[in-house]
Amino acid sequence: MSGTLPPDAIAARNCLDLLAEQIRALIDQRSATDPGAGDPFRGLRLSEDHIGWLLEAGSLGTDSGQAAVAVEAGRWPRLAGLAEIFALSEFDVAVLVLALAPDLDRVFESCYGYLNDDVTRRRATVGLALELCGYTAWDPAARARFGSGAPLIEGGLLELEDAERPLLSRALRVPDRVVAHLLGDDTPDDVLHGLIQTVDDLTAAEPDAATRAELERRPGLVELLRAGPALIQLREHRKGSADAVALALFAAAGRPALRITLTEQILSRAAEIVPALVREARLRGAGLVVFLPEPADPGPLCTDRIPVLLVGEVRRESGGWPVRPLVVDVQSPAGGSPEWSARWRAELGPIAPDTDLEATIAPFRLTATGIARAAGTARALAALEGRQPDANHIRRAARQENARGMGPGVRHVEPAVGWPDLVLPETEGERLRELVDRVRNRDRVLGAWGLRPGGGRGRGVAALFAGESGTGKTLAAEVVAGELGLDLYVVELSALVDKYVGETEKNLERLFAEADRVDAVILFDEADAVFGKRSETKDAHDRYANMESAYLLQRLESFNGVALLTTNLRANIDDAFTRRFDLIVDFPFPDAALRKALWRRCLAGPVPVDPDVADGTALDPVADRFELAGGAIRAAATTAAYLAAAGGRPVGAEDLLAGARREYRKMGRLSEEDLVGLEF
């Protein structure tokens, strides 16, 4: 029924009625000047009566009410919007209407076939468009409106078919997506199916407090997006922290948004996808949010036609970007903030009564979406045990949400030890606990209290563990990570150091960038290989080595994660690095009392031992006479356990002696004869 037509369709019908009058006038003109115009040509014969009937057959028979709506509107709403967005002239609008006529009413196919003197050519041509609009084929300005840089062609609103034909004979075609848009259909182009998400500013979710704070810090961004085309990179320290900010910016600017995740598939089809994507955004008056899951060059999607927000790490490899992006840093969420605690509580629901939620979640900097997923995982883990979520469930869930690979040269360790496994003097143990407290309270002290302003300083915590090999430095790092509920990543620096100039810095930058995005403890084992003292510059090698050290100084200071460095010789670490450590923990070589405690700890638990080992009597001799570090004692205890298991007996004094002797022999410190006469 004609009464159910939307206003855009009614206005379209009126435009076609006006076009029909122009076509009839042109037919009359040709008939007057050429009486044989209606003669047969390529099988087509149209009498004037037939032409009139065709034109009338296309009419919707609009009543006076519908005509009144069109007159009152004064124009075709979506066509007027297109003219404004794409800067179309009156001539462009007329060409667009006559080009899309056959897609709206079949009667125009016959008319165009007649006017083209070719029954097979049922669309308007460039020459026919010029004639209908009152221009000659010799008018250069009119012909230029069909060039590749003209608004209709450049904007993807009009296509010229038959490229092999002369310009005047090329057919005009309006893409189906543009026709659908003009009739009120907002279904995206088929080529974009499954690639984009549409977010209307009216239906966007209410931003949380952290997102609102970001918007309040940068009111100029909203005005920039509202004003028109812009290219802005939201550089995030935490993957996903800029998601909500990007959408909230467009919502505040009163613009809908199209979201697309940049993948290799999209880049490989950029020539097909990008024009359709830009046209879709322009048709809707929308902005574009481009998510970069991995560092990439989004050059093909950087356009000066629409507002574009790049979210993620940009790697600019290709030239030809229309504008240079404005880089804006988005702060990572503060894991210990009151709002984040409230969000965790709301997502978790009832939790175990003895759970210290604030201390549990403080090391994690998940986004709002990440918190929702982690809370769901924690609830599921607790449900499997028939309990309410506790600290262990929450930590496990947060670590799963945070889990990611760190690339080559990094080994992942899931902490499986705790404070009882660490045997250290009281002073060193207190310093390690202080390190844990620093991580848990860094957002409060460095953020809310503002005790690290300016200078590009991050909110990271860095500590140096110094001591001889085997004194427990790596074990202490695992204990710290376990206490915080974080994963431990051990960096093998030998895999990062490259002989080619600049490659070491690239590898380290990749590592730091990835480490900044995860909640984990990063351990640089034997760090003096890279963090060593800078030397006097005598040759090019010294100069580039010093450049690496200078880069590491700057990068360590701007780091936002937890970095632990170990060294066997503290004197090898450059003084400039030591000033930037929050804590330096010295791991002394254990004395006899600590060695006995280490032996006891290694043999604790389900290990079957003789009574004299259990009461410590058999431990005194090996602890006094064998000066072994903790790592060597653990190896000696393991050897003793193997010997006892092979003999089908509990671990005894002789097994301990054999294990200690093996470790001494590996170290080259004592011969077999030197051990004769040792009594227990």
Side-chain angles (χ1 to χ4, degrees):
M1 297 291 293
S2 61
T4 62
L5 288 174
D8 280 299
I10 296 173
R13 180 66 263 172
N14 279 273
C15 286
L16 295 191
D17 288 343
L18 293 174
L19 176 61
E21 293 178 7
Q22 288 181 279
I23 292 175
R24 180 55 189 262
L26 179 60
I27 293 173
D28 289 342
Q29 180 183 359
R30 287 190 179 183
S31 299
T33 56
D34 183 8
D39 291 339
F41 188 80
R42 295 194 180 181
L44 178 65
R45 181 182 179 88
L46 294 177
S47 66
E48 291 190 22
D49 291 339
H50 190 194
I51 294 169
W53 177 83
L54 283 174
L55 293 176
E56 291 175 4
S59 173
L60 293 175
T62 57
D63 57 27
S64 59
Q66 292 171 335
V69 171
V71 170
E72 184 178 350
R75 58 183 182 179
W76 185 345
R78 291 215 171 189
L79 182 58
L82 243 63
E84 181 179 355
I85 293 172
F86 290 83
L88 303 182
S89 66
E90 291 184 2
F91 174 65
D92 294 329
V93 173
V95 169
L96 189 61
V97 170
L98 66 90
L100 64 84
D103 296 286
L104 300 181
D105 196 330
R106 292 179 58 188
V107 68
F108 288 95
E109 293 186 61
S110 298
C111 292
Y112 288 153
Y114 173 77
L115 293 173
N116 288 325
D117 287 336
D118 188 343
V119 69
T120 65
R121 311 207 64 204
R122 306 172 80 84
R123 289 188 177 276
T125 62
V126 173
L128 180 58
L130 291 171
E131 188 176 4
L132 282 169
C133 294
Y135 291 90
T136 70
W138 301 86
D139 191 326
R143 294 173 66 101
R145 304 306 285 184
F146 298 95
S148 58
L152 284 173
I153 307 299
E154 185 272 337
L157 302 180
L158 185 68
E159 297 174 356
L160 297 185
E161 298 180 335
D162 312 315
E164 73 284 355
R165 288 179 176 270
L167 176 63
L168 297 179
S169 300
R170 294 178 190 172
L172 303 178
R173 179 181 178 275
V174 178
D176 294 343
R177 175 66 191 102
V178 179
V179 177
H181 171 80
L182 287 171
L183 293 178
D185 184 0
D186 285 326
T187 304
D189 197 297
D190 289 343
V191 74
L192 302 177
H193 179 70
L195 299 180
I196 64 171
Q197 294 175 296
T198 59
V199 182
D200 194 294
D201 63 295
L202 299 178
T203 60
E206 180 68 21
D208 54 42
T211 302
R212 290 196 300 271
E214 285 290 334
L215 296 183
E216 291 171 0
R217 289 175 56 211
R218 301 181 179 89
L221 284 183
V222 175
E223 294 302 322
L224 193 60
L225 295 176
R226 186 179 290 132
L231 180 59
I232 302 170
Q233 178 192 353
L234 299 181
R235 188 167 54 191
E236 50 185 1
H237 294 295
R238 171 54 47 91
K239 188 72 73 179
S241 61
D243 296 3
V245 174
L247 298 178
L249 280 170
F250 277 122
R255 285 183 180 271
L258 302 180
R259 298 193 296 179
I260 187 168
T261 300
L262 190 62
T263 62
E264 289 296 331
Q265 175 193 11
I266 291 174
L267 288 175
S268 65
R269 299 171 54 203
E272 175 187 12
I273 292 174
V274 173
L277 180 63
V278 174
R279 182 180 65 196
E280 186 68 32
R282 297 181 74 183
L283 289 175
R284 296 167 178 263
L288 182 61
V289 179
V290 181
F291 290 100
L292 283 66
E294 300 295 337
D297 181 356
L301 293 174
C302 297
T303 172
D304 57 357
R305 295 298 182 183
I306 56 174
V308 179
L309 291 181
L310 306 173
V311 178
E313 185 176 345
V314 172
R315 187 170 57 213
R316 187 169 181 174
E317 296 175 346
S318 62
W321 288 26
V323 290
R324 183 180 295 276
L326 173 65
V327 180
V328 177
D329 286 311
V330 176
Q331 292 184 356
S332 300
S337 66
E339 191 214 339
W340 243 237
S341 298
R343 184 175 289 274
W344 272 101
R345 290 187 185 278
E347 296 287 352
L348 285 168
I351 60 177
D354 58 344
T355 302
D356 186 349
L357 182 62
E358 282 68 26
T360 302
I361 66 174
F364 298 99
R365 296 170 294 165
L366 299 181
T367 63
T369 304
I371 290 174
R373 288 196 295 257
T377 303
R379 292 195 305 269
L381 291 172
L384 291 175
E385 302 176 7
R387 305 167 52 189
Q388 291 180 328
D390 59 17
N392 289 329
H393 298 130
I394 296 170
R395 285 169 178 162
R396 285 173 59 190
R399 281 159 61 180
Q400 288 181 27
E401 179 64 27
N402 182 65
R404 61 183 295 150
M406 293 282 288
V410 182
R411 177 167 51 90
H412 173 239
V413 177
E414 188 170 337
V417 294
W419 293 115
D421 299 289
L422 192 61
V423 179
L424 283 175
E426 183 177 351
T427 302
E428 281 67 29
E430 287 299 320
R431 288 190 177 181
L432 290 177
R433 294 182 185 275
E434 180 185 345
L435 175 62
V436 171
D437 290 337
R438 278 179 175 259
V439 177
R440 285 176 174 164
N441 294 289
R442 58 178 169 163
D443 287 308
R444 179 185 304 173
V445 174
L446 303 180
W449 294 358
L451 287 185
R452 186 176 288 184
R457 296 177 177 85
R459 296 188 184 181
V461 176
L464 175 67
F465 293 172
E468 294 185 33
S469 178
T471 52
K473 302 184 295 297
T474 304
L475 180 65
E478 187 175 349
V479 169
V480 168
E483 179 67 15
L484 292 169
L486 302 175
D487 288 328
L488 176 67
Y489 289 96
V490 182
V491 180
E492 299 172 6
L493 289 170
S494 59
L496 301 178
V497 177
D498 198 293
K499 65 180 180 179
Y500 294 105
V501 174
E503 290 302 314
T504 300
E505 289 93 328
K506 288 183 181 179
N507 294 336
L508 288 167
E509 175 57 32
R510 173 189 56 77
L511 173 68
F512 274 112
E514 290 297 324
D516 254 338
R517 294 187 176 96
V518 300
D519 294 315
V521 175
I522 311 299
L523 176 63
F524 294 89
D525 207 7
E526 298 184 4
D528 44 339
V530 176
F531 293 82
K533 285 184 177 295
R534 287 172 287 185
S535 59
E536 181 182 353
T537 302
K538 297 180 179 179
D539 53 27
H541 180 272
D542 293 335
R543 182 168 65 255
Y544 289 121
N546 290 342
M547 288 171 59
E548 291 176 2
S549 296
Y551 164 78
L552 286 169
L553 280 170
Q554 177 271 328
R555 196 61 182 85
L556 187 64
E557 194 166 59
S558 63
F559 185 51
N560 284 291
V562 182
L564 304 180
L565 288 73
T566 69
T567 178
N568 294 340
L569 190 60
R570 178 175 170 178
N572 286 348
I573 300 294
D574 194 296
D575 291 339
F577 283 112
T578 59
R579 289 196 300 271
R580 286 164 171 79
F581 291 126
D582 296 284
L583 281 173
I584 297 179
V585 183
D586 290 304
F587 287 72
F589 194 89
D591 56 17
L594 279 178
R595 291 198 294 271
K596 181 177 179 179
L598 287 165
W599 278 104
R600 188 183 296 277
R601 181 60 194 169
C602 291
L603 297 170
V607 181
V609 295
D610 284 343
D612 58 344
V613 175
D615 63 20
T617 305
L619 299 180
D620 289 326
V622 289
D624 290 338
R625 294 289 300 276
F626 291 93
E627 296 181 354
L628 298 173
I633 290 175
R634 181 174 294 277
T638 302
T639 300
Y642 273 115
L643 293 173
R649 62 178 183 274
V651 177
E654 291 299 324
D655 299 315
L656 299 181
L657 173 63
R661 181 187 299 132
R662 300 281 177 83
E663 288 305 306
Y664 252 36
R665 290 174 64 185
K666 285 195 297 184
M667 297 163 60
R669 294 181 56 185
L670 203 62
S671 66
E672 186 77 20
E673 291 77 10
D674 293 329
L675 296 174
V676 177
L678 183 65
E679 298 179 357
F680 291 89

